[in-house]
Amino acid sequence: MESILSQEQTVDVIQARDNDVLIRTPDDKWLAIPMIEKSDIEISTEIIEKKI
């Protein structure tokens, strides 16, 4: 019983939302990448910046 109690365990919890993509890295870590919808992008009708 003591050997069971002395062991430490960690748990990683990833809760992905809608449109998130989970990617496993080569070092066994997980990345939650949020994806955007086409409706999330707004295109302005006026020029905001000029490059000369």
Short mmCIF file of all heavy atoms in Angstrom, two decimals:
data_model
loop_
_atom_site.label_atom_id
_atom_site.label_comp_id
_atom_site.label_asym_id
_atom_site.label_seq_id
_atom_site.Cartn_x
_atom_site.Cartn_y
_atom_site.Cartn_z
N MET A 1 0.83 -1.19 0.00
CA MET A 1 0.00 0.00 0.00
C MET A 1 0.87 1.26 0.00
O MET A 1 0.58 2.21 -0.70
CB MET A 1 -0.93 -0.05 1.22
CG MET A 1 -1.87 1.10 1.30
SD MET A 1 -3.09 0.98 -0.02
CE MET A 1 -4.28 2.14 0.51
N GLU A 2 1.95 1.24 0.79
CA GLU A 2 2.83 2.42 0.84
C GLU A 2 3.48 2.69 -0.50
O GLU A 2 3.67 3.84 -0.88
CB GLU A 2 3.90 2.24 1.93
CG GLU A 2 3.38 2.48 3.32
CD GLU A 2 4.50 2.38 4.34
OE1 GLU A 2 5.63 2.76 4.02
OE2 GLU A 2 4.22 1.92 5.45
N SER A 3 3.85 1.63 -1.23
CA SER A 3 4.48 1.84 -2.53
C SER A 3 3.51 2.47 -3.52
O SER A 3 3.91 3.26 -4.37
CB SER A 3 5.02 0.52 -3.08
OG SER A 3 3.96 -0.37 -3.34
N ILE A 4 2.25 2.15 -3.42
CA ILE A 4 1.24 2.76 -4.29
C ILE A 4 1.07 4.23 -3.96
O ILE A 4 1.00 5.08 -4.84
CB ILE A 4 -0.11 2.01 -4.17
CG1 ILE A 4 0.03 0.59 -4.73
CG2 ILE A 4 -1.21 2.76 -4.91
CD1 ILE A 4 -1.18 -0.28 -4.51
N LEU A 5 1.04 4.57 -2.68
CA LEU A 5 0.85 5.96 -2.26
C LEU A 5 2.06 6.82 -2.56
O LEU A 5 1.94 8.02 -2.77
CB LEU A 5 0.52 6.01 -0.76
CG LEU A 5 -0.82 5.41 -0.34
CD1 LEU A 5 -0.95 5.45 1.17
CD2 LEU A 5 -1.96 6.14 -1.01
N SER A 6 3.25 6.22 -2.58
CA SER A 6 4.46 7.01 -2.80
C SER A 6 4.68 7.34 -4.28
O SER A 6 5.49 8.21 -4.59
CB SER A 6 5.67 6.28 -2.25
OG SER A 6 5.90 5.09 -2.98
N GLN A 7 4.00 6.66 -5.17
CA GLN A 7 4.17 6.94 -6.59
C GLN A 7 3.40 8.19 -6.97
O GLN A 7 2.25 8.38 -6.58
CB GLN A 7 3.65 5.78 -7.44
CG GLN A 7 4.46 4.52 -7.28
CD GLN A 7 3.85 3.37 -8.08
OE1 GLN A 7 2.82 3.52 -8.70
NE2 GLN A 7 4.50 2.22 -8.02
N GLU A 8 4.05 9.06 -7.71
CA GLU A 8 3.39 10.27 -8.19
C GLU A 8 2.94 10.05 -9.62
O GLU A 8 3.66 9.49 -10.43
CB GLU A 8 4.33 11.47 -8.13
CG GLU A 8 4.63 11.92 -6.73
CD GLU A 8 5.48 13.18 -6.72
OE1 GLU A 8 5.46 13.92 -7.71
OE2 GLU A 8 6.15 13.41 -5.73
N GLN A 9 1.73 10.50 -9.90
CA GLN A 9 1.22 10.39 -11.26
C GLN A 9 0.69 11.75 -11.68
O GLN A 9 0.11 12.47 -10.89
CB GLN A 9 0.10 9.36 -11.34
CG GLN A 9 0.56 7.94 -11.09
CD GLN A 9 -0.57 6.96 -11.25
OE1 GLN A 9 -1.71 7.34 -11.44
NE2 GLN A 9 -0.24 5.69 -11.17
N THR A 10 0.92 12.08 -12.92
CA THR A 10 0.36 13.31 -13.46
C THR A 10 -0.56 12.97 -14.62
O THR A 10 -0.31 12.01 -15.36
CB THR A 10 1.47 14.26 -13.95
OG1 THR A 10 2.22 13.60 -14.95
CG2 THR A 10 2.38 14.67 -12.82
N VAL A 11 -1.58 13.74 -14.76
CA VAL A 11 -2.55 13.53 -15.83
C VAL A 11 -2.71 14.84 -16.59
O VAL A 11 -2.96 15.88 -15.99
CB VAL A 11 -3.92 13.08 -15.26
CG1 VAL A 11 -4.94 12.95 -16.37
CG2 VAL A 11 -3.77 11.79 -14.50
N ASP A 12 -2.53 14.78 -17.88
CA ASP A 12 -2.75 15.95 -18.73
C ASP A 12 -4.14 15.84 -19.34
O ASP A 12 -4.49 14.80 -19.89
CB ASP A 12 -1.71 16.02 -19.86
CG ASP A 12 -0.31 16.26 -19.32
OD1 ASP A 12 -0.19 16.93 -18.28
OD2 ASP A 12 0.65 15.78 -19.94
N VAL A 13 -4.90 16.91 -19.19
CA VAL A 13 -6.25 16.91 -19.74
C VAL A 13 -6.34 17.97 -20.81
O VAL A 13 -6.01 19.12 -20.58
CB VAL A 13 -7.29 17.19 -18.63
CG1 VAL A 13 -8.69 17.27 -19.23
CG2 VAL A 13 -7.22 16.13 -17.55
N ILE A 14 -6.74 17.56 -21.98
CA ILE A 14 -6.95 18.50 -23.07
C ILE A 14 -8.44 18.48 -23.41
O ILE A 14 -9.00 17.43 -23.70
CB ILE A 14 -6.13 18.11 -24.32
CG1 ILE A 14 -4.64 18.19 -24.01
CG2 ILE A 14 -6.48 19.00 -25.50
CD1 ILE A 14 -3.76 17.73 -25.15
N GLN A 15 -9.06 19.63 -23.31
CA GLN A 15 -10.46 19.73 -23.66
C GLN A 15 -10.57 20.57 -24.92
O GLN A 15 -10.46 21.78 -24.88
CB GLN A 15 -11.27 20.35 -22.53
CG GLN A 15 -12.74 20.41 -22.82
CD GLN A 15 -13.53 20.88 -21.62
OE1 GLN A 15 -13.00 21.09 -20.55
NE2 GLN A 15 -14.81 21.05 -21.82
N ALA A 16 -10.73 19.90 -26.03
CA ALA A 16 -10.83 20.60 -27.30
C ALA A 16 -12.23 21.17 -27.47
O ALA A 16 -13.21 20.56 -27.06
CB ALA A 16 -10.51 19.65 -28.44
N ARG A 17 -12.28 22.36 -28.04
CA ARG A 17 -13.57 22.97 -28.33
C ARG A 17 -13.94 22.65 -29.77
O ARG A 17 -13.18 22.03 -30.50
CB ARG A 17 -13.47 24.49 -28.14
CG ARG A 17 -13.14 24.88 -26.71
CD ARG A 17 -12.77 26.32 -26.64
NE ARG A 17 -11.55 26.50 -27.44
CZ ARG A 17 -10.81 27.57 -27.44
NH1 ARG A 17 -11.14 28.58 -26.72
NH2 ARG A 17 -9.73 27.65 -28.17
N ASP A 18 -15.11 23.09 -30.19
CA ASP A 18 -15.50 22.90 -31.59
C ASP A 18 -14.47 23.56 -32.48
O ASP A 18 -13.98 24.65 -32.19
CB ASP A 18 -16.88 23.51 -31.85
CG ASP A 18 -17.99 22.72 -31.19
OD1 ASP A 18 -17.74 21.57 -30.79
OD2 ASP A 18 -19.10 23.25 -31.07
N ASN A 19 -14.14 22.92 -33.56
CA ASN A 19 -13.19 23.42 -34.57
C ASN A 19 -11.74 23.46 -34.09
O ASN A 19 -10.91 24.08 -34.73
CB ASN A 19 -13.60 24.80 -35.10
CG ASN A 19 -14.95 24.77 -35.76
OD1 ASN A 19 -15.32 23.79 -36.39
ND2 ASN A 19 -15.71 25.84 -35.63
N ASP A 20 -11.43 22.87 -32.97
CA ASP A 20 -10.03 22.76 -32.54
C ASP A 20 -9.43 21.48 -33.11
O ASP A 20 -10.13 20.49 -33.31
CB ASP A 20 -9.90 22.70 -31.01
CG ASP A 20 -10.04 24.06 -30.35
OD1 ASP A 20 -10.21 25.06 -31.08
OD2 ASP A 20 -9.98 24.12 -29.12
N VAL A 21 -8.14 21.53 -33.39
CA VAL A 21 -7.44 20.36 -33.90
C VAL A 21 -6.37 19.98 -32.88
O VAL A 21 -5.62 20.83 -32.42
CB VAL A 21 -6.78 20.67 -35.27
CG1 VAL A 21 -5.95 19.50 -35.74
CG2 VAL A 21 -7.83 21.03 -36.29
N LEU A 22 -6.32 18.71 -32.51
CA LEU A 22 -5.30 18.22 -31.58
C LEU A 22 -4.14 17.64 -32.38
O LEU A 22 -4.34 16.80 -33.25
CB LEU A 22 -5.88 17.16 -30.65
CG LEU A 22 -6.97 17.63 -29.70
CD1 LEU A 22 -7.50 16.45 -28.91
CD2 LEU A 22 -6.47 18.70 -28.78
N ILE A 23 -2.92 18.10 -32.09
CA ILE A 23 -1.74 17.64 -32.79
C ILE A 23 -0.77 17.06 -31.76
O ILE A 23 -0.46 17.71 -30.76
CB ILE A 23 -1.06 18.79 -33.56
CG1 ILE A 23 -2.01 19.33 -34.62
CG2 ILE A 23 0.25 18.33 -34.17
CD1 ILE A 23 -1.49 20.53 -35.35
N ARG A 24 -0.30 15.85 -32.02
CA ARG A 24 0.68 15.22 -31.13
C ARG A 24 2.08 15.50 -31.68
O ARG A 24 2.37 15.23 -32.83
CB ARG A 24 0.44 13.72 -31.06
CG ARG A 24 1.25 13.04 -30.01
CD ARG A 24 0.88 11.58 -29.95
NE ARG A 24 1.24 11.06 -28.66
CZ ARG A 24 0.84 9.91 -28.18
NH1 ARG A 24 0.04 9.18 -28.90
NH2 ARG A 24 1.23 9.51 -27.01
N THR A 25 2.94 16.06 -30.84
CA THR A 25 4.29 16.40 -31.26
C THR A 25 5.19 15.16 -31.14
O THR A 25 4.84 14.19 -30.47
CB THR A 25 4.85 17.54 -30.38
OG1 THR A 25 4.92 17.10 -29.03
CG2 THR A 25 3.99 18.79 -30.48
N PRO A 26 6.36 15.19 -31.78
CA PRO A 26 7.26 14.03 -31.70
C PRO A 26 7.70 13.68 -30.28
O PRO A 26 8.04 12.53 -30.00
CB PRO A 26 8.47 14.47 -32.54
CG PRO A 26 7.94 15.50 -33.47
CD PRO A 26 6.85 16.19 -32.73
N ASP A 27 7.67 14.65 -29.36
CA ASP A 27 8.07 14.36 -27.98
C ASP A 27 6.86 14.01 -27.10
O ASP A 27 6.88 14.18 -25.89
CB ASP A 27 8.87 15.52 -27.38
CG ASP A 27 8.13 16.83 -27.42
OD1 ASP A 27 7.06 16.91 -28.08
OD2 ASP A 27 8.60 17.80 -26.80
N ASP A 28 5.80 13.49 -27.73
CA ASP A 28 4.59 13.01 -27.05
C ASP A 28 3.87 14.08 -26.25
O ASP A 28 3.29 13.80 -25.20
CB ASP A 28 4.90 11.81 -26.14
CG ASP A 28 5.02 10.52 -26.93
OD1 ASP A 28 4.49 10.48 -28.06
OD2 ASP A 28 5.63 9.57 -26.43
N LYS A 29 3.88 15.30 -26.72
CA LYS A 29 3.07 16.36 -26.13
C LYS A 29 1.92 16.66 -27.09
O LYS A 29 1.99 16.34 -28.27
CB LYS A 29 3.91 17.62 -25.89
CG LYS A 29 4.97 17.39 -24.84
CD LYS A 29 5.74 18.65 -24.57
CE LYS A 29 6.80 18.39 -23.51
NZ LYS A 29 7.62 19.55 -23.26
N TRP A 30 0.86 17.25 -26.56
CA TRP A 30 -0.30 17.57 -27.38
C TRP A 30 -0.48 19.07 -27.48
O TRP A 30 -0.31 19.80 -26.51
CB TRP A 30 -1.56 16.96 -26.77
CG TRP A 30 -1.62 15.47 -26.91
CD1 TRP A 30 -1.16 14.54 -26.01
CD2 TRP A 30 -2.12 14.73 -28.01
NE1 TRP A 30 -1.36 13.28 -26.49
CE2 TRP A 30 -1.96 13.36 -27.71
CE3 TRP A 30 -2.72 15.09 -29.22
CZ2 TRP A 30 -2.37 12.36 -28.57
CZ3 TRP A 30 -3.12 14.09 -30.09
CH2 TRP A 30 -2.95 12.73 -29.76
N LEU A 31 -0.82 19.54 -28.67
CA LEU A 31 -1.12 20.94 -28.90
C LEU A 31 -2.58 21.04 -29.36
O LEU A 31 -3.02 20.28 -30.22
CB LEU A 31 -0.22 21.53 -30.00
CG LEU A 31 1.29 21.46 -29.76
CD1 LEU A 31 2.02 21.94 -31.02
CD2 LEU A 31 1.68 22.32 -28.59
N ALA A 32 -3.32 21.97 -28.77
CA ALA A 32 -4.68 22.24 -29.21
C ALA A 32 -4.64 23.50 -30.07
O ALA A 32 -4.36 24.58 -29.58
CB ALA A 32 -5.61 22.42 -28.02
N ILE A 33 -4.88 23.34 -31.35
CA ILE A 33 -4.80 24.45 -32.30
C ILE A 33 -6.22 24.91 -32.64
O ILE A 33 -7.01 24.13 -33.19
CB ILE A 33 -4.07 24.02 -33.60
CG1 ILE A 33 -2.73 23.37 -33.29
CG2 ILE A 33 -3.94 25.20 -34.55
CD1 ILE A 33 -1.73 24.26 -32.62
N PRO A 34 -6.56 26.16 -32.29
CA PRO A 34 -7.90 26.64 -32.64
C PRO A 34 -7.99 26.98 -34.13
O PRO A 34 -7.11 27.63 -34.67
CB PRO A 34 -8.07 27.89 -31.77
CG PRO A 34 -6.68 28.35 -31.48
CD PRO A 34 -5.80 27.13 -31.52
N MET A 35 -9.00 26.48 -34.76
CA MET A 35 -9.22 26.77 -36.17
C MET A 35 -10.28 27.87 -36.28
O MET A 35 -11.17 27.97 -35.45
CB MET A 35 -9.69 25.51 -36.91
CG MET A 35 -8.72 24.35 -36.79
SD MET A 35 -7.05 24.72 -37.35
CE MET A 35 -7.27 24.67 -39.10
N ILE A 36 -10.17 28.71 -37.31
CA ILE A 36 -11.13 29.79 -37.47
C ILE A 36 -12.10 29.45 -38.60
O ILE A 36 -11.78 28.69 -39.51
CB ILE A 36 -10.43 31.14 -37.74
CG1 ILE A 36 -9.59 31.08 -39.02
CG2 ILE A 36 -9.58 31.55 -36.56
CD1 ILE A 36 -9.05 32.43 -39.44
N GLU A 37 -13.25 30.04 -38.52
CA GLU A 37 -14.27 29.87 -39.55
C GLU A 37 -14.13 31.00 -40.57
O GLU A 37 -13.59 32.06 -40.28
CB GLU A 37 -15.66 29.95 -38.93
CG GLU A 37 -15.97 28.85 -37.95
CD GLU A 37 -16.41 27.58 -38.64
OE1 GLU A 37 -16.96 27.66 -39.75
OE2 GLU A 37 -16.20 26.51 -38.05
N LYS A 38 -14.63 30.77 -41.75
CA LYS A 38 -14.62 31.81 -42.77
C LYS A 38 -15.40 33.03 -42.29
O LYS A 38 -15.05 34.17 -42.58
CB LYS A 38 -15.22 31.25 -44.06
CG LYS A 38 -15.10 32.14 -45.25
CD LYS A 38 -15.64 31.45 -46.49
CE LYS A 38 -15.46 32.32 -47.70
NZ LYS A 38 -15.95 31.67 -48.91
N SER A 39 -16.44 32.80 -41.51
CA SER A 39 -17.26 33.91 -41.00
C SER A 39 -16.54 34.74 -39.94
O SER A 39 -16.97 35.83 -39.60
CB SER A 39 -18.57 33.37 -40.44
OG SER A 39 -18.31 32.49 -39.36
N ASP A 40 -15.41 34.23 -39.40
CA ASP A 40 -14.63 34.96 -38.41
C ASP A 40 -13.79 36.08 -39.04
O ASP A 40 -13.27 36.93 -38.34
CB ASP A 40 -13.70 34.03 -37.64
CG ASP A 40 -14.45 33.03 -36.78
OD1 ASP A 40 -15.60 33.32 -36.40
OD2 ASP A 40 -13.90 31.96 -36.50
N ILE A 41 -13.64 36.05 -40.35
CA ILE A 41 -12.78 37.01 -41.04
C ILE A 41 -13.62 38.14 -41.62
O ILE A 41 -14.61 37.89 -42.30
CB ILE A 41 -12.00 36.30 -42.18
CG1 ILE A 41 -11.15 35.17 -41.60
CG2 ILE A 41 -11.15 37.30 -42.95
CD1 ILE A 41 -10.51 34.31 -42.64
N GLU A 42 -13.23 39.36 -41.29
CA GLU A 42 -13.91 40.54 -41.85
C GLU A 42 -12.96 41.25 -42.79
O GLU A 42 -11.81 41.52 -42.44
CB GLU A 42 -14.32 41.49 -40.73
CG GLU A 42 -15.39 40.95 -39.81
CD GLU A 42 -15.79 41.95 -38.74
OE1 GLU A 42 -15.49 43.15 -38.91
OE2 GLU A 42 -16.38 41.52 -37.75
N ILE A 43 -13.43 41.58 -43.98
CA ILE A 43 -12.62 42.28 -44.96
C ILE A 43 -13.10 43.72 -45.02
O ILE A 43 -14.29 43.99 -45.26
CB ILE A 43 -12.70 41.60 -46.34
CG1 ILE A 43 -12.17 40.18 -46.22
CG2 ILE A 43 -11.94 42.41 -47.38
CD1 ILE A 43 -12.30 39.36 -47.47
N SER A 44 -12.18 44.64 -44.80
CA SER A 44 -12.51 46.06 -44.79
C SER A 44 -12.72 46.56 -46.21
O SER A 44 -12.08 46.10 -47.16
CB SER A 44 -11.38 46.85 -44.12
OG SER A 44 -11.65 48.22 -44.19
N THR A 45 -13.59 47.54 -46.35
CA THR A 45 -13.84 48.13 -47.66
C THR A 45 -12.91 49.32 -47.91
O THR A 45 -12.88 49.85 -49.01
CB THR A 45 -15.29 48.61 -47.77
OG1 THR A 45 -15.56 49.53 -46.70
CG2 THR A 45 -16.25 47.44 -47.68
N GLU A 46 -12.18 49.76 -46.92
CA GLU A 46 -11.27 50.90 -47.09
C GLU A 46 -9.82 50.48 -46.85
O GLU A 46 -9.57 49.48 -46.18
CB GLU A 46 -11.65 52.04 -46.14
CG GLU A 46 -11.62 51.65 -44.67
CD GLU A 46 -12.15 52.75 -43.77
OE1 GLU A 46 -13.37 52.84 -43.63
OE2 GLU A 46 -11.31 53.49 -43.23
N ILE A 47 -8.89 51.24 -47.41
CA ILE A 47 -7.47 50.94 -47.26
C ILE A 47 -7.04 51.39 -45.86
O ILE A 47 -7.25 52.54 -45.46
CB ILE A 47 -6.63 51.67 -48.33
CG1 ILE A 47 -7.03 51.15 -49.72
CG2 ILE A 47 -5.15 51.45 -48.08
CD1 ILE A 47 -6.38 51.90 -50.84
N ILE A 48 -6.45 50.49 -45.12
CA ILE A 48 -6.02 50.78 -43.76
C ILE A 48 -4.55 51.19 -43.72
O ILE A 48 -4.16 52.04 -42.95
CB ILE A 48 -6.28 49.56 -42.83
CG1 ILE A 48 -7.77 49.24 -42.83
CG2 ILE A 48 -5.76 49.80 -41.44
CD1 ILE A 48 -8.10 47.94 -42.14
N GLU A 49 -3.75 50.62 -44.60
CA GLU A 49 -2.32 50.90 -44.59
C GLU A 49 -1.82 50.98 -46.04
O GLU A 49 -2.21 50.18 -46.87
CB GLU A 49 -1.58 49.78 -43.85
CG GLU A 49 -0.10 49.99 -43.78
CD GLU A 49 0.59 48.86 -43.04
OE1 GLU A 49 -0.06 48.19 -42.21
OE2 GLU A 49 1.77 48.63 -43.30
N LYS A 50 -0.93 51.92 -46.29
CA LYS A 50 -0.31 52.05 -47.60
C LYS A 50 1.16 51.76 -47.45
O LYS A 50 1.80 52.23 -46.51
CB LYS A 50 -0.46 53.47 -48.14
CG LYS A 50 -1.68 53.73 -48.93
CD LYS A 50 -1.58 55.10 -49.58
CE LYS A 50 -2.82 55.46 -50.31
NZ LYS A 50 -2.76 56.78 -50.93
N LYS A 51 1.71 51.02 -48.39
CA LYS A 51 3.15 50.76 -48.39
C LYS A 51 3.74 51.47 -49.59
O LYS A 51 3.32 51.25 -50.72
CB LYS A 51 3.39 49.25 -48.48
CG LYS A 51 4.78 48.84 -48.18
CD LYS A 51 4.87 47.33 -48.08
CE LYS A 51 6.24 46.92 -47.59
NZ LYS A 51 6.36 45.49 -47.47
N ILE A 52 4.68 52.36 -49.33
CA ILE A 52 5.28 53.16 -50.42
C ILE A 52 6.72 52.73 -50.63
O ILE A 52 7.47 52.53 -49.73
CB ILE A 52 5.22 54.67 -50.09
CG1 ILE A 52 3.75 55.07 -49.93
CG2 ILE A 52 5.90 55.46 -51.18
CD1 ILE A 52 3.56 56.50 -49.53
#
